[in-house]
Amino acid sequence: MASETTSNGTKPGVETLDRVVIRFAGDSGDGMQLTGTQFTATAAIVGNDLATFPDYPAEIRAPAGTLPGVSGYQVNFASEDIFTPGDAPDVLVAMNPAALKVNLKDLKAGGILVVNSDAFRESDLAKAGYQGNPLEDGSLDGYRLVRVEMNRLTRSALEGTGLPQRTMDRSKNFFALGMMYYLYNRPLEVSLRWIEEKFASEPEIAAANRLALKAGYAYCEASEIFHDTYEVPAARLAPGTYRNVNGNQALALGFVAASRKSGLPLFQGSYPITPASDILHELAAYKNFGVITFQAEDEIAAIGAALGASFAGSLAITTTSGPGLALKSEFVGLAVMVELPLVVVDIQRGGPSTGLPTKTEQADLLQALHGRHGEAPCVVLAARSPADCFECAYEASRLAVRHMTPVLLLSDGFIANGAEPWRIPAVEDLPPIPVAFRTDPEGFLPYARDPETLARPWAIPGTPRLEHRIGGLEKSDGAGNVSYEPLNHERMVRLRAEKIARVALDIPPASPSGDHEGGLLVVGWGSTYGSITAAVRRARAEGKRVSRLHLRYLNPLPSNLGEVLSQYDRILVPEMNLGQLAFVLRGRYLREIVSQSKVEGQPFRESEILDRIREIA
Amino acid sequence: MASETTSNGTKPGVETLDRVVIRFAGDSGDGMQLTGTQFTATAAIVGNDLATFPDYPAEIRAPAGTLPGVSGYQVNFASEDIFTPGDAPDVLVAMNPAALKVNLKDLKAGGILVVNSDAFRESDLAKAGYQGNPLEDGSLDGYRLVRVEMNRLTRSALEGTGLPQRTMDRSKNFFALGMMYYLYNRPLEVSLRWIEEKFASEPEIAAANRLALKAGYAYCEASEIFHDTYEVPAARLAPGTYRNVNGNQALALGFVAASRKSGLPLFQGSYPITPASDILHELAAYKNFGVITFQAEDEIAAIGAALGASFAGSLAITTTSGPGLALKSEFVGLAVMVELPLVVVDIQRGGPSTGLPTKTEQADLLQALHGRHGEAPCVVLAARSPADCFECAYEASRLAVRHMTPVLLLSDGFIANGAEPWRIPAVEDLPPIPVAFRTDPEGFLPYARDPETLARPWAIPGTPRLEHRIGGLEKSDGAGNVSYEPLNHERMVRLRAEKIARVALDIPPASPSGDHEGGLLVVGWGSTYGSITAAVRRARAEGKRVSRLHLRYLNPLPSNLGEVLSQYDRILVPEMNLGQLAFVLRGRYLREIVSQSKVEGQPFRESEILDRIREIA
Amino acid sequence: MGAPTALTKKDFVSDQEVRWCPGCGDYAILSAAQQVFPELGVPRERFVVVSGIGCSSRFPYYMNTYGFHAIHGRAPAIATGIKIANPDLSVWIATGDGDALSIGGNHVIHTLRRNLDIKILMFNNRIYGLTKGQLSPTSEMGKKTKSTPYGSVDRPFNPVALALGADATFVARSVDVNAPHLKEVIRAAADHRGAAFVEILQNCNIFNDGAWSEFREKDRRDEHVVELRQGEPLVFGKSRDRGIRLAGCHRPEVVTLGSGVTEKDLLVHDEQAPLGYAFMLAHMQPPEFPLPIGVFRRAVLPTLEAAIHEQIGAITAKKGPGDLGKLLRSGDVWEVK
Amino acid sequence: MGAPTALTKKDFVSDQEVRWCPGCGDYAILSAAQQVFPELGVPRERFVVVSGIGCSSRFPYYMNTYGFHAIHGRAPAIATGIKIANPDLSVWIATGDGDALSIGGNHVIHTLRRNLDIKILMFNNRIYGLTKGQLSPTSEMGKKTKSTPYGSVDRPFNPVALALGADATFVARSVDVNAPHLKEVIRAAADHRGAAFVEILQNCNIFNDGAWSEFREKDRRDEHVVELRQGEPLVFGKSRDRGIRLAGCHRPEVVTLGSGVTEKDLLVHDEQAPLGYAFMLAHMQPPEFPLPIGVFRRAVLPTLEAAIHEQIGAITAKKGPGDLGKLLRSGDVWEVK
Ligand SMILES: Cc1ncc(C[n+]2csc(CCOP(=O)(O)OP(=O)(O)O)c2C)c(N)n1
Ligand SMILES: Cc1ncc(C[n+]2csc(CCOP(=O)(O)OP(=O)(O)O)c2C)c(N)n1
Ligand code: SF4
Ligand code: SF4
Ligand SMILES: [Mg+2]
Ligand SMILES: [Mg+2]
């Protein structure tokens, strides 16, 4: 197959760029997610650093051609290291008028705009709410407009296949992909191989897509619609083996790794919910790793089953999004009381209530910290990027098991679906997760505590002579029998709090990047990592005294955090909520905090944070 | 019947006291709650100010005679105004050794200790874990021990009734009550009348109780076991009509009042849970007020039904305790999104998880504020005393309806079951709760907003030409259709926040008692009101510069609160949790706060707060 | 329920664009409801359609009535509150197999046992549509879905049996694209005074296409379904040449008419028969049997909302309407001057 | 399930004081379980008893086995996780009518449909005991409780019918104080491979005393219950002089033996009969009928936990045990030097 891409030689007018942002946009039925993923896969293999942002509608399939039906996939690929999918695309591929209308505002001034001109008939325009035809009314004069009759060209490329016209039309996304491969001098192999595998059982479809891909490439070659082409060389990534992962895949892999390294079978209790379902889909495929996935009747049963499995000695996790976490609240409280390890993953989405299920947000932090009755402290972590999800899943598992506690792990729709290159760790380099079930009946007390961590013993059913009962009523210190004794209650409430507080001894201290002190410190958590990092780098390049600190551990906070914050003059906390971490930091450290909020269901642009930094740094 | 109490004349050696604390304690089967309630009812009629603290076991009926089976009822009655059930009883009535063992530590040094000596057989002592007999080993020398053979005396008083001995023995709590009536020169009528009504269908039981009550009284008269007796004159309460209420009764009455004054039928969706169930029991009796009580299959269905009833135009409430509030989290978020009035009552109990179901705590504040995914702000109120529950229920209803929002109302086990005199308001003095359902189809937009409150119109099914759809997906501003538009989402998130913030314009400003500035300010919320008030009064009497502020409105906080706090040098926040309000105030106002925590499932004693004030004022 | 009004289908079409996949069975159900509602003699403003979350639960947006798109599984709770608060309303639930039977199972069975006068239309596509293709509690064993890539090992519910187990007073089954039948069943549910549970076999052409082909396709369905009609024998087949007979009590069998077997030998449908009968029908499943569609059970029993209001009425009649002033002053009161 | 061990009742008595009201029916159930467990040939450490919240749910504290006193209604969820994680354990649920059928109804029906090898003992006292006397979903209509001071207007569930509706593979009913019968039923549940639902009529002598007197009292129960015994006719009465006959399919009737009616005319119990039969029995209710006790249905079907582990085994056998290093490196990978 490799021989088929020999056309990918050197071409006249190849300009080298550091980074490029392409957005593919079309109708939900146009296969844009696929196109984006393919472009990303190739960029990864070429060795670019990259970041992606899939943005798709909440409806399964909104009416074809309408604005709510528009699906987009943005990929930023670069020879330098990058942190975000990019603010404004250099190239917009718009497969129909609705896609144009929704996305044009983001395209860089003077950017390349590739449109499928076959989709701009009057009825198409009407569906998108256009009065006139933007391709003709001069409204696109500020862009490098490239009109391509993609339907016609795809059909003619596929003429020999004998496929019905509707089926042919479905391949036009590969035509578009081929064009982009030409424009950026990318190899076709990765996608050709993928087509082969994916459509193994439908050889005509495979053939159609293959032909369309090559036709798109060839069309550019022949027509010279692009005057120049570009090259984005490989990035100087740290040496190692890489793959491309999105956040949910990385979480799944992290849990499997933790299961292997701890020797505990992995049990996932889950109920499908966007954007968390993919973790279930991923893990359900790992049966030969002994992974048990249990799709429960609801979120409550899902966490209940996980807690039961934890009692029985599994590495137990439950995965959900905000509404599901709300439902699990009561059970998380029980997990706090019975002190069993459990990882609860919340892939945050736009809220409140059903909100914007396919959009991203960070507004569940306070729920994660406080959303339980009574004093019910948990460990709370947040992942900052797709690849970081692997480490966070692993770390959440380690902490849960070592400290015998529920751990809440926050991610969000942006990093769950967004992809980036991940340097694959060697299995032997993963930190150990030692587990010792209690087996000795001598002196066994279910609520005796490890002097260092205050964790209680894990004594699993099936172990002779350790029969004991746990439950949600207050426990007597040590013996763990039901106790209504006032002073015992106070002691236990404080012990549970102290147990979580001591996790701070088991995590790295906060260590800002930039200056050790003075000026502005930008503090972030979760998926704002990319935008903050990029913005701070830019601001520093502009000579601003600005540093940054990204928090993985939100409860307990690193023990030196108060000290660190006190080293800086001003603190800015950008969050995709109304200032939740800012509130927590104020309450904890009595520090004035500048909160930057964005609650649009969309990640921060680098420029938004940069602008704010410029205002206050 | 009144003539039967002529014996209650003047007696030699009647000493006048300002206040007295009695604790009745016995086995759960001994009827101590009843005895306490009767003493309280009489004290109320006599005109004392009073406060009570029933403290009963979590088990329905723990094994008779054991420590976990002990049930207690403390009543503080006074001629001055009082705020708490009292720290240490002046009199302890102990019906068995277990009751003695559990309660003795609280009795004042030199206090009166009345014991049922018939219950101190060897087997009784063993059940309570006594080695010897405390009545004989001198261990009670520090108290004024009064041994009474209550079983024998009750039996002999009931000889003529022909009742079986076991039945006779059940009346011995009335014997004890009669003794206390003698000791404090109380009339018997109130209890005699109550016995008549309560046991109307069981005349032999009525007779037995009546006889036992009088026998207890007469026995003291005859035996002169008490050298002196005491009088506690009527308190100088504000003029008006009074009755005795506990918090749950007062809540029920408040909601009925709000229903009547608003003209909205009251709909309660609820699922039984200690200590909230009594609100359901109370309201279920008010059928001729058109009150609908729906016992749902669980807490989720309970709030769901209430929200449905609200949509249909009812004054809708749902009542629960912490675990139930956790379950309702997701639905509260929906209520925030659909912007319908709804009152959610949480009678807090000891947590986390099942915790200490019959004990009191204030650890659900952060859950009430933050226990939902997404940015889902609600109004949060807390009642401070049994009688205050009436006003809070009323006010919660008013705010919910006026601002079209869910309102969370916090109470706790202490005030839910504790009783105090309530000055009954005149119906016409209750503030109006105007409601205007939208009926005009002209220009109707489901999410148009009142310019003052930002409330949306309440358009109920059945109204012609206002057909519209609401739901949990993000709404477009104004029209209320589903919208995934980024800027609309941001606008709506901020509108919902602003709507709640504006409630601050509809509530009274914070107004501390004591000094306007300087010194220590003790800030409280909820049921700590009594202990704080008493402690601050005492401290001021000692010359301390200490003021106090009790917050009913926890979200939004009064708009002048930051300003008020800044007037004082130090701030102390006593709470029955690990410092939840303290955390909120720090986060909001960046003020250093001294947090005083008590998490024993027991209310603060006046002395505990006083001691802390002395340390820092 | 109010004076008849001259409503048409158009009156029930909302201004919102319908956002289901082209070809989805939900369109047919929507159309059927929009045709039946105007014929029910209920003023439009008295209809309330409540739903949970799912493709099917988008239904209320497209009905120009009052509507409440609730949270996943909780439509019955909201509908219960609406109906009790105002029994004059005609309250409908549109729900999916996941919404109704997975997360919402408890609310459904409680609504049925309480016999609230609420109509539950459950769109059964044997899959989670909105979340893009996971197992549902009606998915058949062995099914490969996104969440069961190696095939499911869960036994599915039989929705009709479950509803009968919850003592539902009206239980029926119909098929999305069998318009006349579906409309008849919806009408029958509307006419029933009490809780109605209607399972509608619905095709999700994206994630579970063809799940019900034999019952949906015009040229095949006559061979694969048997229509239940009150008082009529259970006959089926394109040429109505087969029927259901009892081989023994509780043991139905398929027989071919002719050669000694006549309609007289067949089971005669009785919606009011003892529950064991309806339960037997509920367990008639392909391939052994044709799938019964129509009304399995119809029983008249008091509705909860009526009982609640009657009780309130009776107590109010006895005690007199509540007087707030008196209530506040009830119990032992005393005056302080 | 493991080698037989010489266990006795004593081995199953925990060191915790039993805290039910004197006279509560729960004592009898506890004693029955403590007698049956040692006879099951399961080592003590393999028993896990899970419960929700309620008086009945205190049960695990008194059993000297592993135990999990969960939150209200959620015992089946926890039990499911335990059983799937370790199928070698013998997993039991102790629950009440409120815990199992009100808040926990959905988990119960899903556990039954999935056929996990879990035994559910539901203590039905037709009341909420622990919360001091509110209506339960099995309370009879008209009942005055704390939450229904004027009498309830809710139709109750029929627990056996509901379990059958959920397609439970083992459904039985027994009575707290009928020790031999109760032990037999518990043993049968233990022996069944699959989900077992056992309704135990239990007296709450504090809040609902006498709810089941006619089925509990030694001198009355023979007249009011009919014991279901596999292959035996349905005979009852102190002198075993009456029985149940079918008046028509699905229509049972009570007949007196003698005067032409013999045991041959009676229904013969078959635990494996088609479901319509068991459902019919479930609806035999006093006063018209004696109350059936015993095993209504027993069917052998694959259990969920076995199917899960078989699937894992089969796939592992086919693909080989997972290699973590390979997994991490799967998909398109590239090297950066
Ligand atoms: C609390 C909660 N959990 C999960 C989800 C995700 N979710 C939305 S719809 C759905 C299932 C839809 O299936 P079904 O009810 O069968 O409807 P269909 O889409 O097939 O019509 C799920 C799991 C949610 N929205 N809320
Ligand atoms: C989430 C939650 N809701 C409500 C309760 C209160 N509650 C405890 S037990 C119970 C019902 C008990 O009834 P049942 O299950 O029949 O058990 P019984 O006490 O009668 O044995 C209720 C409502 C609770 N503990 N948790
Ligand atoms: S996903 Fe399936 S059920 Fe949902 S709209 Fe599309 S076809 Fe219909
Ligand atoms: S309240 Fe009833 S069920 Fe509970 S322990 Fe007492 S008698 Fe038993
Ligand atoms: Mg479905
Ligand atoms: Mg019960």
Side-chain angles (χ1 to χ4, degrees), chain C residues 193-245:
Chain C
R193 257 199 99 239
F197 179 83
V198 182
E199 178 190 13
I200 304 173
L201 310 185
Q202 174 245 328
N203 191 44
C204 168
N205 54 308
I206 301 297
F207 296 111
N208 200 17
D209 198 23
W212 307 115
S213 323
E214 65 271 42
F215 317 120
R216 299 176 85 239
E217 290 167 15
K218 270 230 171 72
D219 51 341
R220 294 176 67 202
R221 67 190 182 201
D222 291 342
E223 297 297 312
H224 291 93
V225 304
V226 52
E227 280 194 33
L228 306 174
R229 302 208 159 272
Q230 179 64 9
E232 293 184 19
L234 272 66
V235 179
F236 71 103
K238 222 176 217 135
S239 37
R240 300 189 58 77
D241 58 344
R242 271 161 302 153
I244 308 297
R245 178 175 75 177

Side-chain angles (χ1 to χ4, degrees), chain A residues 56-64 66 68 271-274 277-278 280-282 284-288 293-300 327 353-354, chain C residues 17-22 53 55 58 69-72 74 98-99 102-104 128-132 134-136 145-150 154 206-207:
Chain A
Y56 48 85
E59 274 82 20
I60 290 299
R61 212 158 283 182
T66 60
Y271 187 71
I273 185 166
T274 306
S277 310
D278 282 340
L280 173 62
H281 307 161
E282 291 285 329
Y286 300 153
K287 296 243 181 293
N288 60 331
T293 51
F294 172 64
Q295 182 181 323
E297 58 271 27
D298 64 14
E299 284 84 353
I300 298 177
L327 287 169
S353 196
T354 313
Chain C
E17 249 178 321
V18 182
R19 294 197 183 159
W20 286 310
C21 307
I53 302 284
C55 296
R58 290 303 188 100
H69 181 224
I71 45 181
H72 196 31
R74 315 302 175 186
D99 194 60
S102 197
I103 192 168
Y128 285 6
L130 189 69
T131 48
K132 308 199 173 174
Q134 299 83 7
L135 191 74
S136 112
T145 69
K146 282 228 183 97
S147 54
T148 56
Y150 293 105
D154 260 53
I206 301 297
F207 296 111

Side-chain angles (χ1 to χ4, degrees), chain B residues 120-349:
Chain B
F120 280 70
R121 293 161 308 177
E122 216 157 286
S123 60
D124 303 319
L125 293 165
K127 273 188 219 152
Y130 274 116
Q131 309 294 346
N133 186 344
L135 304 188
E136 284 156 17
D137 63 8
S139 62
L140 303 176
D141 284 354
Y143 307 98
R144 287 165 58 193
L145 177 63
V146 180
R147 311 137 150 271
V148 185
E149 295 162 287
M150 292 194 201
N151 289 35
R152 192 184 59 75
L153 292 165
T154 305
R155 286 178 201 165
S156 72
L158 270 56
E159 227 164 19
T161 62
L163 289 168
Q165 198 162 298
R166 266 190 70 183
T167 313
M168 286 187 187
D169 285 354
R170 287 222 204 101
S171 293
K172 66 176 178 294
N173 58 334
F174 279 96
F175 188 93
L177 181 64
M179 292 179 62
M180 289 300 109
Y181 281 172
Y182 173 85
L183 185 60
Y184 292 98
N185 286 292
R186 312 259 111 183
L188 303 187
E189 282 94 343
V190 176
S191 292
L192 289 172
R193 201 179 332 116
W194 181 87
I195 290 170
E196 229 52 49
E197 280 170 19
K198 180 73 184 180
F199 301 101
S201 61
E202 297 164 290
E204 329 75 61
I205 306 292
N209 289 336
R210 199 165 52 226
L211 286 169
L213 178 69
K214 290 189 194 167
Y217 197 100
Y219 170 71
C220 298
E221 234 172 357
S223 67
E224 294 187 10
I225 48 166
F226 298 118
H227 302 274
D228 302 307
T229 67
Y230 306 93
E231 206 152 46
V232 178
R236 288 163 305 274
L237 297 172
T241 308
Y242 282 79
R243 67 184 276 195
N244 207 17
V245 284
N246 69 34
N248 281 347
Q249 288 168 336
L251 284 175
L253 293 172
F255 287 122
V256 175
S259 160
R260 278 295 151 119
K261 292 289 278 195
S262 64
L264 300 172
L266 182 61
F267 182 100
Q268 178 191 29
S270 192
Y271 187 71
I273 186 167
T274 305
S277 311
D278 282 339
I279 313 170
L280 173 62
H281 307 162
E282 291 285 329
L283 286 175
Y286 300 154
K287 296 243 181 296
N288 61 330
F289 286 81
V291 174
I292 294 177
T293 51
F294 172 63
Q295 182 181 322
E297 57 272 26
D298 63 12
E299 283 85 353
I300 298 176
I303 186 174
L307 189 60
S310 170
F311 184 49
S314 295
L315 176 62
I317 68 170
T318 184
T319 51
T320 190
S321 184
L325 184 60
L327 287 169
K328 291 176 199 290
S329 309
E330 191 197 8
F331 244 124
V332 176
L334 178 62
V336 168
M337 197 61 131
V338 297
E339 305 192 34
L340 283 169
L342 178 68
V343 180
V344 181
V345 177
D346 173 11
I347 312 293
Q348 301 163 95
R349 61 188 216 182

Side-chain angles (χ1 to χ4, degrees), chain C residues 30 57 178 316 334:
Chain C
L30 176 63
S57 291
N178 191 340
T316 309
W334 70 96

Side-chain angles (χ1 to χ4, degrees), chain C residues 100-106 109-110 112-115 136-137 141 150-158 161-169 246 248-252 267 270 272-277 279-280 283 297 301-304 307-308 311 315 319, chain D residues 100-106 109-110 112-115 136-137 141 150-158 161-169 246 248-252 267 270 272-277 279-280 283 297 301-304 307-308 311 315 319:
Chain C
L101 297 185
S102 197
I103 192 168
N106 206 31
I109 59 179
H110 279 270
L112 296 177
R113 95 166 154 84
R114 291 191 185 110
N115 200 33
S136 112
M141 280 187 87
Y150 293 105
S152 127
V153 291
D154 260 53
R155 295 165 69 221
F157 273 134
N158 176 328
L162 185 66
L164 291 170
D167 211 358
T169 55
L246 281 188
C249 281
H250 319 291
R251 290 188 199 274
L267 255 180
D270 180 5
Q272 333 241 327
L275 275 158
Y277 165 76
F279 207 62
M280 175 190 77
H283 287 91
R297 183 190 192 208
L301 282 163
T303 67
L304 181 72
I308 287 175
Q311 190 177 52
I315 291 162
K319 295 197 166 187
Chain D
L101 297 185
S102 197
I103 191 167
N106 205 32
I109 60 178
H110 279 270
L112 296 177
R113 94 165 154 84
R114 291 191 185 112
N115 200 32
S136 112
M141 280 186 86
Y150 293 104
S152 126
V153 292
D154 259 54
R155 294 165 71 220
F157 272 134
N158 177 328
L162 185 67
L164 291 169
D167 211 357
T169 55
L246 282 187
C249 281
H250 318 291
R251 289 187 201 275
L267 257 179
D270 181 4
Q272 333 241 327
L275 276 159
Y277 166 74
F279 207 62
M280 176 190 77
H283 286 89
R297 183 189 192 208
L301 283 163
T303 66
L304 181 72
I308 287 175
Q311 190 177 52
I315 291 161
K319 297 197 165 185

Side-chain angles (χ1 to χ4, degrees), chain C residues 56 96-98 123-129 136 202:
Chain C
S56 33
D97 41 328
F123 301 16
N124 185 3
N125 55 14
R126 311 190 89 172
I127 198 81
Y128 285 6
S136 112
Q202 174 245 328

Side-chain angles (χ1 to χ4, degrees), chain B residues 3 103 112 135 187 218 335 444 457 493 564:
Chain B
S3 61
N103 292 287
I112 299 175
L135 304 188
F444 170 64
V493 165
V564 165

Side-chain angles (χ1 to χ4, degrees), chain B residues 56-63 66 68 271-274 277-278 280-281 284-287 293-300 327 353-354, chain D residues 17-22 53 55 58 70-72 74 98-99 102-103 128-132 134-136 146-150 154 206-207:
Chain B
Y56 48 85
E59 275 83 21
I60 290 299
R61 211 159 283 181
T66 61
Y271 187 71
I273 186 167
T274 305
S277 311
D278 282 339
L280 173 62
H281 307 162
Y286 300 154
K287 296 243 181 296
T293 51
F294 172 63
Q295 182 181 322
E297 57 272 26
D298 63 12
E299 283 85 353
I300 298 176
L327 287 169
S353 196
T354 314
Chain D
E17 249 177 321
V18 183
R19 295 194 182 163
W20 286 311
C21 306
I53 303 285
C55 296
R58 291 302 189 99
I71 44 181
H72 196 31
R74 315 303 175 187
D99 193 61
S102 197
I103 191 167
Y128 285 7
L130 188 69
T131 47
K132 309 199 174 176
Q134 297 83 9
L135 192 74
S136 112
K146 281 230 184 96
S147 54
T148 55
Y150 293 104
D154 259 54
I206 301 297
F207 296 111

